Amino acid sequence: MIPAKLNVGTHTLSVTTVADSNHNPVTRTATITVNKIKTELSGNAITTTYNINKDLIITLKDSNGNPVSGAKLIVDLNGAKTYTTDSNGQVKVSTKGLAPNVYTAKVTFDGNTNYDKSALDVKVTVNKATPKLT
């Protein structure tokens, strides 16, 4: 038998025995609660140089360590933008064009029908470029 997939929420299960000449039918009910799956965002602090692109890579996984694909993440790195996770549960955020400074990328996943929300702060350091005279 293939197990049924239940949506998040509370469900009522009702089971009735099959009556025969020796047994009366009996019905019992039970309440089943299906919770959202917990999630975790991860990403490492990065250091780059002005006008050289280095991607900030953020990963969203469920509580079992499985990547969550197709999820909308909001990354606020000098302005908030929405990204969609790929099949590996990842988004890549370009750092090209950021002025030299130390930033905190605020990453949020607001959750959805099946997954719980999570948040993460990641440090992004952009160093000054060294000019070359020729």
Side-chain angles (χ1 to χ4, degrees), residues 49-72:
T49 303
Y50 174 72
N51 223 19
I52 295 177
N53 186 42
K54 184 171 185 180
D55 290 333
L56 169 63
I57 299 173
I58 305 296
T59 305
L60 177 66
K61 292 186 177 182
D62 68 17
S63 58
N64 295 318
N66 299 314
V68 179
S69 64
K72 303 286 185 198

Side-chain angles (χ1 to χ4, degrees), residues 2 9 19 23 28 47 50 55 58 63 67 80 82 85 88 90-92 99 101 107:
I2 298 173
H23 301 90
R28 295 288 185 254
T47 300
Y50 174 72
D55 290 333
I58 305 296
S63 58
T82 301
T85 57
N88 297 316
Q90 295 183 330
V91 297
K92 294 179 181 178
N101 203 346
V107 184

Side-chain angles (χ1 to χ4, degrees), residues 69-89:
S69 64
K72 303 286 185 198
L73 303 184
I74 299 170
V75 180
D76 189 348
L77 177 60
N78 202 31
K81 291 183 182 174
T82 301
Y83 298 85
T84 302
T85 57
D86 63 15
S87 61
N88 297 316

